[in-house]
Amino acid sequence: MYTSTTDDEELRPRFGPSPAVMWFVLLGVVTLVQWFGTWGATLWQTHGQPPHPLALVLIMTGPVLLLLFGPVPVTRRRLPVLVFVATAAAMVLYYGLGFPYGPAVIAFFITIVYAVVSGYRLVAWVGSWVAEAAYFGLSLLLRPNHPPSLLFLIAHVAWLLAVLGLAELLRQRRERVVEHLRTRREERRMRAAEERLTIAQELHDVLAHNISMINVQAGVGLHLMDDKPEQARTALTAIKQASAEALGELRSVLDVLRAGEAPRSPTPSLTGLDLLAERTRAAGLRVDVGYAGDPRTLPAPVELAAFRIVQEALTNVVKHAAATTVRIVLDYGDRVLSLRIEDDGRGRAAPRLPGTGSGIDGMRRRATALGGSLEAGALDGAGFRVVATIPVEPKA
């Protein structure tokens, strides 16, 4: 069948005349050539009938139908089978009745290509040979004393094969172009989906940690406001810092979405791990940070993924674990960065609420996106552990 309007629009050239203008010009040229070429053919053909109104009607059948129902139809309806069958019948009558040979067949050749490219290959192939047989049959019936020569028959067959072959080549080329466009659209759709997922994950990581800190500190402030106002002041200060940090990171993420604008703050990295640990300590947790191997600056995607994994793990501890101590260990290997976050809480997350529970999945996506892995689970006795490994460039 004919391809969709979307495919047609993408196949249109970006510059130059529109397909409609080019099509109408082509039809105009074909009409003129068929019209005047047929009149000229009468000057050197003595065996044919001189053109009369019926011949002119048959000559114009193809161009008129192509104008009305062709690839760029003025009626906005494409009817390749109707155009092909009607034009073939008109050509059989025109040549079968003995009207002058000439360029009247051009429109018929165009309808063959139109039908094949539109997907009606069987109709075009079978219909073309049926029309050829009908033409010779009608000629023999009306002019039995002037049968077509073998050379004439071979020439007709050769022309028809050439047109059908050209139509098949154009069909194959168009299908390749359309398939390429579909593949490109699918790639764009997948990239857009990946970008949306990345943005959603980034917003989740940016907001979840700081809002969890704010929630904990707000509870502490309310509890201590009457009995220990100074400690409540400390909690409110932590809330202010966490909210400012959340707003700053949120602006940074949103700035990335605005074309032509650089982020307002640098991309999070492991250099900010101490500050992250300090903010978590403000929530009442003891946070120990340890390093192994040779600490060094890693590629930005690795730094960001590692920071977000630690941030999300700490967020889960604050929200769900009821822990008192968290230990973070970063092991800088030659080819792998290993992260281990352990707490001494209850060892399992609280029951998930609707719309939540994407933290571990998000951490795993960040690790696997860089060719790494992540495992998370309860420890024997008490506590919860997150272990992530991310490949890095080997040390020089």
Coordinates of all heavy atoms in Angstrom, one line a residue, residues 28 55 69 95 118 144 149 173 193 204 223 232 240 259 271 282 289 302 309 344 358:
G28 N 2.1 18.6 -17.0 CA 2.0 19.5 -18.1 C 2.8 19.2 -19.2 O 2.4 19.2 -20.4
A55 N -9.7 9.9 -30.0 CA -8.3 9.7 -29.8 C -7.8 10.7 -28.7 O -7.0 10.4 -27.8 CB -7.5 9.8 -31.1
F69 N -6.0 11.8 -9.1 CA -5.8 10.7 -8.1 C -4.4 10.2 -8.1 O -4.1 9.1 -7.7 CB -6.8 9.6 -8.4 CG -8.2 10.0 -8.5 CD1 -8.8 9.9 -9.7 CD2 -8.9 10.4 -7.4 CE1 -10.2 10.3 -9.8 CE2 -10.2 10.8 -7.5 CZ -10.9 10.7 -8.7
Y95 N -4.5 2.4 -29.2 CA -3.6 1.7 -30.2 C -4.4 0.5 -30.9 O -4.1 0.3 -32.0 CB -2.4 1.2 -29.5 CG -1.4 2.3 -29.1 CD1 -1.2 2.6 -27.7 CD2 -0.7 3.0 -30.0 CE1 -0.4 3.6 -27.4 CE2 0.1 4.0 -29.7 CZ 0.3 4.3 -28.3 OH 1.1 5.3 -28.0
S118 N 3.5 2.3 -5.2 CA 2.5 2.4 -4.2 C 2.2 1.0 -3.5 O 1.5 1.0 -2.6 CB 1.2 2.9 -4.8 OG 1.3 4.2 -5.3
P144 N -7.1 -7.8 -39.3 CA -6.5 -9.1 -39.5 C -5.5 -9.2 -40.7 O -4.6 -10.1 -40.7 CB -7.7 -10.1 -39.8 CG -8.7 -9.2 -40.3 CD -8.5 -7.8 -39.6
S149 N 4.5 -7.3 -36.6 CA 5.7 -8.1 -36.9 C 6.3 -8.6 -35.6 O 6.1 -8.1 -34.5 CB 6.7 -7.3 -37.7 OG 7.2 -6.2 -36.9
R173 N 14.2 1.6 -3.9 CA 14.9 2.7 -3.4 C 14.0 3.5 -2.4 O 14.5 3.9 -1.3 CB 15.3 3.7 -4.5 CG 16.0 4.9 -4.0 CD 16.4 5.9 -5.2 NE 17.1 7.0 -4.7 CZ 16.5 8.1 -4.2 NH1 15.1 8.1 -4.1 NH2 17.2 9.1 -3.8
A193 N 13.2 9.1 25.0 CA 12.8 8.3 26.2 C 13.9 8.2 27.2 O 13.7 8.3 28.4 CB 12.3 6.9 25.8
H204 N 14.8 13.2 40.7 CA 14.5 12.3 41.9 C 15.7 12.4 42.9 O 15.5 12.6 44.1 CB 14.3 10.9 41.5 CG 14.2 9.9 42.6 ND1 15.3 9.3 43.2 CD2 13.1 9.5 43.4 CE1 14.9 8.5 44.2 NE2 13.6 8.6 44.3
H223 N 10.0 18.7 67.8 CA 10.1 18.0 69.0 C 10.9 18.8 70.1 O 10.6 18.7 71.3 CB 10.8 16.7 68.8 CG 11.0 15.9 70.0 ND1 9.9 15.2 70.6 CD2 12.1 15.5 70.7 CE1 10.4 14.6 71.7 NE2 11.7 14.8 71.8
A232 N 16.6 23.3 68.5 CA 15.6 23.5 67.4 C 16.1 24.5 66.4 O 15.9 24.4 65.2 CB 14.3 24.0 68.0
K240 N 17.2 25.1 56.4 CA 17.5 26.2 55.5 C 18.6 25.8 54.5 O 18.5 26.1 53.3 CB 17.9 27.5 56.2 CG 18.3 28.7 55.4 CD 18.6 29.9 56.2 CE 19.0 31.1 55.3 NZ 19.4 32.2 56.1
A259 N 18.1 25.4 26.2 CA 19.1 25.4 25.2 C 20.0 26.6 25.3 O 19.5 27.8 25.5 CB 18.5 25.4 23.8
T271 N 34.0 14.9 45.0 CA 34.6 15.9 45.8 C 33.6 16.5 46.8 O 34.0 17.1 47.8 CB 35.2 17.0 44.9 OG1 34.2 17.6 44.1 CG2 36.3 16.5 44.0
A282 N 23.8 15.9 60.1 CA 22.9 16.8 60.7 C 21.5 16.2 61.0 O 20.7 16.7 61.8 CB 22.7 18.1 59.8
V289 N 33.3 7.9 56.5 CA 33.7 7.8 55.0 C 35.1 7.2 55.0 O 36.1 7.8 55.7 CB 33.7 9.1 54.3 CG1 34.1 9.0 52.9 CG2 32.2 9.7 54.4
V302 N 31.4 9.0 35.6 CA 31.6 8.1 36.7 C 31.5 8.8 38.0 O 30.8 8.3 39.0 CB 33.0 7.5 36.6 CG1 33.3 6.6 37.8 CG2 33.1 6.6 35.3
I309 N 24.7 7.6 43.5 CA 24.4 6.3 44.2 C 24.6 6.5 45.7 O 23.7 6.0 46.5 CB 25.3 5.3 43.6 CG1 24.9 4.9 42.2 CG2 25.3 4.0 44.5 CD1 25.9 4.0 41.5
D344 N 23.4 0.2 60.1 CA 23.1 -0.7 61.1 C 21.6 -0.7 61.5 O 21.2 -0.9 62.6 CB 23.9 -0.4 62.4 CG 23.7 1.0 62.9 OD1 22.9 1.8 62.2 OD2 24.2 1.3 64.0
S358 N 11.6 3.7 43.8 CA 12.4 3.7 42.6 C 13.9 3.9 42.9 O 14.7 4.0 42.0 CB 11.9 4.7 41.6 OG 12.0 6.0 42.1

